[in-house]
Amino acid sequence: MVSPRTAYVIGIDFGTLSGRALVVDAADGTELASAVHEYEHAVMDTTLAATGASLPPEWALQVPNDYREVLRKAVPDAVAAAGIDPTQVVGIATDFTASTPLPVLADGTPLCEVRGFEDRPHAYVKLWKHHAGQPQADRINAVARDRGESWLPRYGGFISSEWEYAKALQLLEEDPEIYERMDHWVEAADWIIWQLTGEYVRNACTAGYKGILQDGEYPGPDFEAALNPAFRGFAQTKLAHRIGQLGERAGTLTAQAAEWTGLPQGIAVAVGNVDAHVTAPAAKATQPGQMLAIMGTSTCHVMNGERLAEVPGMCGVVDGGILAGYYGYEAGQSGVGDIFAWYVKNQVPARYFDEAKAAGKSIHQYLTDLSFEEPIGAHGLVALDWHGGNRSVLVDTSLSGIIVGQTLATRAEQGYRALLESTAFGTRTIVETFNKSGVPVTEFVVAGGLLKNPHLMQLYADVLNLPLSTIASEQGPALGSAIHAAVAAGLYSSVYEAGEAMGKVTKNAYLPNPEAAAAYDRLYAEYQQLHDYFGRGANDVMKRLKALRKEAHS
């Protein structure tokens, strides 16, 4: 094993709107510098940039070259800002949102870069929050239940429209020419590693959580044919590929990638990973019972367990999906920070912005501070956090948000607090489902941008009635990637060992207040009733309204 002294590694976090490169000292995890590159095309959810053509509701596409630009710009900028000799960089690793797949040719060329396909929406990357495949997801789940597919309970009984199969089936049924032309349906997490190394290696994390790979097998061809006869053979012809374990070396940096990044040719490149899962060692949240929540625009919850259990409504359980030797569990909420941002953008009067500016605060901080001047329940509201659908535990993107209890006296800050609380209640639903399934949650660890809001963190500790620890880094996924890079470079023998040396956490940063916890129990009981009423079939008005919306746009 190589000594980590005077060796640097780089972690690159590919987010929803930008990519960040972080330079890290491999000896102790010291973060030297970072640089961000914003994607030129951001998220294409209303129009296709190449043509200006309108996209239907629930679409979310990206341009793959935007990811290459992160390698060309953010990495050299971060190295320059760190003031280090690039020859001292020994490894690089990346993480990505998931599931974010794209169709490519045998050499990795995205179909949207093939002449004649620039105007075809299905030739582009489908971002994680592309939900237009919900009808296909519904069919996948119905057929799997009817056939008694053994893998379905591993995903809480539901396969999401955000994942690989639903998006691929939508592609087949809406643009069969693109489907036939593509050689691989590849996760962006693996495609970017392909760009760095010239090697296509499918990472175990996305293959298991998003690609229904269980016990070494994908769903069989008879199941695929039951979905659509033309879908038979999808897994074996479009999806299956060599699997790389997390922390392993996928390959080495090619000459072209070295030119892009300014790094030495031949350095180690780790197997790809997912932004949430890669963060666990960065937050030292790798032991059973430690649930890590990466809280940003959405929230992903990951946790290791010692035993295999079927947890209803979870995104999946994968052997070694987070750390070797454990079963890695995943759950999530499709909208969190996105909900707060929507509310501020569309529901808050201009005078609040003026008052926030006068107070020297951001609008989010101002609304938060105002809303917490009142005691719990004083707003008379309860909300459902489904503005982006429900990922766990209902696994239904056709659900939508709601605030109950508004009157002519309701103020903007009160609605804002109700939405903050709703996301905590959504997390509590997930935690309680784990507990009931024999996978107990004993500590809640937070990473991501929302941990900067202390009121929100205390709210979560009180609602969950659990101690809450926080990652001591503002770059959790990028640091987690750097930790994996150090392992791939041979500086540490395992991801756990590297995480203990390089990870950062503030233990028990927030402790629950018993009185507040009791007060939130009463609001949570109301949330639960609304959750089950609208989410479990008693009233499908949300789905009917979405159907009307689609009909109006058709």
Side-chain angles (χ1 to χ4, degrees):
M1 188 167 57
V2 180
S3 170
R5 294 184 181 279
T6 67
Y8 302 104
V9 287
I10 293 177
I12 310 175
D13 171 37
F14 289 88
T16 299
L17 296 173
S18 64
R20 179 184 300 274
L22 177 68
V23 181
V24 178
D25 187 327
D28 58 8
T30 298
E31 299 172 20
L32 301 179
S34 66
V36 177
H37 176 70
E38 304 284 340
Y39 302 149
E40 178 184 352
H41 301 90
V43 179
M44 298 184 293
D45 53 9
T46 57
T47 58
L48 190 67
T51 64
S54 296
L55 294 171
E58 309 291 343
W59 278 63
L61 306 178
Q62 290 196 312
V63 175
N65 193 57
D66 287 348
Y67 309 146
R68 293 193 193 98
E69 287 299 296
V70 174
L71 304 178
R72 296 185 181 106
K73 296 179 179 178
V75 174
D77 287 351
V79 171
I84 65 168
D85 183 343
T87 62
Q88 292 181 292
V89 176
V90 298
I92 188 169
T94 68
D95 65 82
F96 236 100
T97 64
S99 175
T100 299
L102 66 156
V104 303
L105 300 179
D107 64 357
T109 302
L111 267 292
C112 62
E113 295 179 2
V114 174
R115 181 172 295 182
F117 289 151
E118 305 94 331
D119 62 344
R120 308 276 278 273
H122 279 292
Y124 287 81
V125 178
K126 286 184 170 64
L127 185 61
W128 64 270
K129 60 180 180 178
H130 175 94
H131 293 151
Q134 185 63 48
Q136 284 78 14
D138 292 341
R139 198 182 333 144
I140 289 169
N141 291 317
V143 171
R145 283 192 293 270
D146 289 346
R147 291 172 53 87
E149 295 288 344
S150 60
W151 43 261
L152 189 61
R154 300 271 184 103
Y155 299 94
F158 295 93
I159 300 302
S160 171
S161 67
E162 295 182 3
W163 300 351
E164 293 175 8
Y165 269 71
K167 288 173 174 173
L169 186 56
Q170 184 200 9
L171 166 57
L172 165 69
E173 295 178 342
E174 296 182 5
D175 196 336
E177 183 183 3
I178 294 289
Y179 180 86
E180 289 300 323
R181 185 71 182 275
M182 76 173 178
D183 292 301
H184 299 290
W185 185 234
V186 57
E187 284 284 345
D190 299 325
W191 181 81
I192 201 66
I193 298 299
W194 198 346
Q195 298 295 295
L196 288 167
T197 65
E199 300 281 343
Y200 176 26
V201 180
R202 185 156 159 74
N203 76 83
C205 185
T206 50
Y209 290 107
K210 314 302 181 185
I212 322 183
L213 180 65
Q214 289 287 346
D215 302 323
E217 295 184 353
Y218 294 98
D222 289 344
F223 169 76
E224 294 167 341
L227 297 172
N228 184 315
F231 202 53
R232 178 185 287 274
F234 163 69
Q236 291 307 311
T237 62
K238 310 286 189 182
L239 198 62
H241 208 75
R242 177 168 70 91
I243 301 294
Q245 299 303 313
L246 306 183
E248 287 184 351
R249 181 181 300 202
T252 59
L253 201 67
T254 65
Q256 182 183 58
E259 182 179 344
W260 289 342
T261 60
L263 300 176
Q265 181 180 350
I267 64 171
V269 180
V271 168
N273 210 328
V274 178
D275 49 4
H277 306 73
V278 79
T279 305
K284 296 188 177 182
T286 56
Q287 296 304 298
Q290 294 180 304
M291 175 174 281
L292 173 67
I294 298 84
M295 296 178 59
T297 55
S298 62
T299 293
C300 187
H301 309 77
V302 297
M303 188 173 76
N304 281 317
E306 293 180 309
R307 58 183 290 267
L308 177 63
E310 295 173 357
V311 184
M314 294 304 101
C315 299
V317 53
V318 175
D319 190 1
I322 302 170
L323 196 72
Y326 293 113
Y327 290 99
Y329 292 85
E330 177 190 345
Q333 292 165 272
S334 296
V336 180
D338 267 354
I339 298 175
F340 310 151
W342 161 82
Y343 186 80
V344 164
K345 182 178 179 181
N346 296 284
Q347 306 295 319
V348 178
R351 68 177 178 84
Y352 281 85
F353 291 85
D354 296 336
E355 292 167 3
K357 185 177 180 180
K361 299 178 180 180
S362 72
I363 185 61
H364 287 280
Q365 182 183 351
Y366 184 67
L367 287 169
T368 300
D369 291 345
L370 272 182
S371 71
F372 279 84
E373 290 177 359
E374 290 188 323
I376 297 166
H379 52 35
L381 305 172
V382 65
L384 291 175
D385 53 319
W386 299 345
H387 297 66
N390 181 284
R391 187 180 297 165
S392 298
V393 296
L394 300 172
V395 198
D396 191 343
T397 61
S398 64
L399 297 173
S400 52
I402 190 172
I403 301 178
V404 173
Q406 296 179 102
T407 71
L408 295 176
T410 301
R411 301 188 302 277
E413 66 268 25
Q414 295 176 320
Y416 188 78
R417 178 162 174 174
L419 292 173
L420 296 180
E421 292 169 346
S422 75
T423 66
F425 295 151
T427 289
R428 178 167 167 176
T429 302
I430 291 168
V431 168
E432 290 187 348
T433 304
F434 268 95
N435 291 338
K436 292 174 184 175
S437 302
V439 187
V441 179
T442 57
E443 179 186 2
F444 197 71
V445 186
V446 175
L450 293 182
L451 64 78
K452 296 177 183 178
N453 186 330
H455 282 301
L456 184 63
M457 293 301 98
Q458 186 61 52
L459 164 64
Y460 269 69
D462 293 338
V463 168
L464 298 173
N465 203 12
L466 284 172
L468 189 151
S469 301
T470 58
I471 190 172
S473 169
E474 296 183 358
Q475 320 292 348
L479 176 58
S481 285
I483 287 169
H484 284 74
V487 178
L491 304 181
Y492 295 95
S493 61
S494 69
V495 173
Y496 174 78
E497 180 187 8
E500 289 302 295
M502 299 171 65
K504 306 171 185 176
V505 67
T506 301
K507 298 289 286 186
N508 299 330
Y510 299 87
L511 298 175
N513 178 301
E515 292 183 0
Y520 279 125
D521 281 346
R522 296 176 65 187
L523 277 178
Y524 178 64
E526 302 297 339
Y527 174 92
Q528 281 185 302
Q529 287 196 49
L530 289 174
H531 176 280
D532 290 349
Y533 178 67
F534 287 109
R536 299 193 187 276
N539 189 336
D540 285 333
V541 60
M542 295 174 177
K543 298 181 180 182
R544 294 194 296 271
L545 290 174
K546 279 204 170 182
L548 285 172
R549 180 184 176 217
K550 289 182 180 179
E551 182 181 320
H553 281 276
S554 63

